[in-house]
Structures are given as C-alpha cells and as structure tokens.
Amino acid sequence: MTEFVTTALEDGVLVVKLARADKKNALTQAMYSALTDALSQAESDLAVKAVLLQGNDQVFCAGNDLEDFLSLKDLGQDSPILRFLTTLVRFKKPLLAAVAGPAVGIGTTVLLHCDLVVAQQGARFQLPFVALGLCAEAGSSVLLAQRVGQAKANEWLLTGKAYSSEEALAQGLINQVVEKDVCATGLAMAKQLAQLPSDALVTTKALIRAPFQAEAEKAIFDEAREFVRLLQGDECKGAIRAFFSRR
Ligand code: COA
C-alpha cells in the first residue's frame, strides 16, 4: 500500500493519479505495485470504461526512483516493475494519459502503452537511459520506433536529449497539446471514450495492438534482462550517485 498513487472513479473513468509531487512523482516499488493493482481493478470492474493516468498540472513523472534503482537486484516476472509492465502491455480497456512538466524514463515509455495522450505546454519528455548507464525498457526498444519512426526513436533513445510537447506532437508520440488544465482535458477525453460502446472500444484497441503485441511483450522481458545487468554496473551506479550529489 502507498499513499503516492490514488484512484477515483468518475463517469466510467478510473483516474489513477501519481501523488508524490515533492519527488516529481518518481516511481518506487510500492508505487508500481499500486499501479498494477489499479489497472487490475480497472480491468475487472464493469463500471470502469476507460482509465486516465495523470500526475498533476505541474508534474507527470520523473521516472523510476533512482534511489530504489541502487538497491534493485531482481527484475524477474514477479518483481513489482515487471508485474506492472506486463499488466500494462496486456491492459484491454482504453488507457489515456495527461502529461505536464517532466515525463522522464518510464514517465515517457508508459505513454507508448496509452491509447490517447494529451500534454501541457512546457512538458518535457526524456529517455536518459544511456546516460544513466542503462538501456530501453517497457517495450520501448520496439514500441517507440513503431510510434514515431526509427530515426526519432534512435535519436531519443541513444542521445537521451529532452524534447517538448510540440515536438512530441509533431512526431506522433502524443495526440494533443493544451496551454493549461491538462488533467481536466485528459478527463474530458476519457469521459468521451467512456460513453462509446464498450465492446467495440475494447475490440478496436485489441485489433490496433495485435500486430505488435507479442513483439512488445517479448521486448519487455529482453530489455529487463539487460537492464538488471546494467543496473549492477559501475557506469549506472556512478551516474545515479552523480544525480544525488549534483547540488
Ligand atoms: N528519483 C528519485 N528522486 C528524484 C527523481 C528520481 N527519478 N527525480 C527527482 N527526484 C527528487 C530530487 O532528488 C529532489 O529531491 P530533494 O528535494 O529531496 O532534493 C526532488 O525530486 C525534486 O527534483 P529536482 O531535481 O530538484 O527538480 P527539478 O525540477 O530541478 O528537475 C527533473 C526535475 C525531473 C528534470 C530532475 O529531477 C531529474 O532529472 N530527475 C531524474 C530523472 C531520471 O533520471 N529518472 C530516471 C529515468 S530511468
């Protein structure tokens, strides 16, 4: 249990909120477990027609908690991160995200599993895995190129450079950019989907995802094996220590 992930049901939409703003919503192991529980609940609850993942109107998610990474030894299929990723990649109902501020690491790769994404002006997307001595995760080694094309996927994953909402929109990572109130916009989008015929929605999502489903699931496990190896390396440990000693 953690108070850093909250859920609320509104007009058929389960709003799943990251609520650890003082740490920029960096995800701890407990938060991954809470997210898995929320998605599992959403999958089985007939009252839930769509899910909105959000932080607040200032911050979405600064990625995995880097301190947690230092003590992480295992990324087996029962680990909180792998349980979350497999639940996410297999999630059948429409999943939306509202993004403001930083969307780093898993804060960006989670969007590859979302069906619609709205971001606020000033949001900042980044995949700094290589600079951290790590590799792609959450299926991003295949899903990013499928979403934005190989050239941009190479650029974003290899250089780790940050990019704006406008660039994310231009490249097709997200659907819409708003000036403000991104969470309210995300909720309105989710409520619109929630009113549509459920079986048709779920069936259409499954058909859209089908050509990449097996590939995405395989990538999650292939990446996890390399990720956990790299986590134990000096390059990664040094980069994480450098982050915490930067001031
Ligand atoms: N893990 C753990 N703590 C984190 C964190 C993370 N991923 N991201 C931010 N925090 C913490 C900071 O240590 C800081 O804590 P403190 O107030 O106790 O010192 C607090 O959140 C605020 O972060 P800060 O860096 O001061 O905010 P900022 O607005 O200047 O920068 C980010 C925001 C997201 C650009 C910056 O925090 C960052 O780069 N974070 C790391 C992102 C990352 O590498 N994630 C892992 C990807 S695999």
Side-chain angles (χ1 to χ4, degrees):
M1 288 290 285
T2 170
E3 74 274 27
F4 297 134
V5 175
T6 65
T7 57
L9 184 60
E10 192 176 321
D11 297 338
V13 177
L14 189 73
V15 178
V16 179
K17 180 176 175 177
L18 304 175
R20 194 187 179 215
D22 62 327
K23 297 290 181 187
K24 305 284 173 188
N25 290 335
L27 297 180
T28 62
Q29 302 292 296
M31 289 168 77
Y32 282 109
S33 295
L35 288 169
T36 305
D37 291 347
L39 288 182
S40 303
Q41 178 206 334
E43 197 83 271
S44 58
D45 186 346
L46 293 178
V48 176
K49 307 292 184 196
V51 172
L52 173 68
L53 180 64
Q54 63 167 69
N56 58 40
D57 285 347
Q58 281 77 47
V59 55
F60 182 59
C61 175
N64 201 103
D65 186 288
L66 288 171
E67 210 166 316
D68 258 28
F69 264 167
L70 284 178
S71 54
L72 193 69
K73 300 272 178 290
D74 171 46
L75 268 181
Q77 61 183 21
D78 292 331
S79 64
I81 295 179
L82 258 285
R83 282 189 60 237
F84 170 64
L85 293 179
T86 47
T87 304
L88 180 68
V89 73
R90 294 171 189 161
F91 189 66
K92 294 187 174 62
K93 294 181 182 177
L95 179 61
L96 296 88
V99 179
V104 187
I106 186 87
T108 286
T109 56
V110 74
L111 305 177
L112 300 170
H113 301 273
C114 293
D115 305 297
L116 295 175
V117 181
V118 58
Q120 191 161 283
Q121 283 174 5
R124 189 170 167 276
F125 302 81
Q126 191 176 13
L127 299 167
F129 301 117
V130 173
L132 286 169
L134 293 168
C135 64
E137 43 76 299
S140 58
S141 57
V142 298
L143 291 176
L144 187 61
Q146 184 244 322
R147 187 97 149 217
V148 303
Q150 193 68 57
K152 269 296 155 196
N154 292 348
E155 186 182 321
W156 289 349
L157 278 169
L158 293 176
T159 72
K161 73 167 203 171
Y163 50 100
S164 64
S165 300
E166 290 72 21
E167 183 167 8
L169 180 66
Q171 300 301 334
L173 177 70
I174 64 173
N175 299 86
Q176 191 183 340
V177 178
V178 292
E179 199 183 325
K180 56 181 184 166
D181 301 331
V182 72
C183 294
T185 306
L187 184 57
M189 286 164 71
K191 284 183 182 178
Q192 273 180 0
L193 280 191
Q195 284 169 4
L196 294 169
S198 304
D199 191 2
L201 260 183
V202 168
T203 302
T204 302
K205 170 168 177 161
L207 289 166
I208 291 170
R209 299 246 157 195
F212 313 102
Q213 186 65 26
E215 208 186 343
E217 291 192 27
K218 179 176 182 301
I220 285 171
F221 286 99
D222 290 347
E223 292 162 354
R225 271 192 301 278
E226 298 299 338
F227 202 94
V228 79
R229 177 181 66 78
L230 290 165
L231 262 179
Q232 316 306 321
D234 291 341
E235 289 176 338
C236 177
K237 290 189 170 139
I240 292 178
R241 285 198 197 97
F243 172 75
F244 285 114
S245 60
R246 70 201 187 286
R247 289 201 190 100

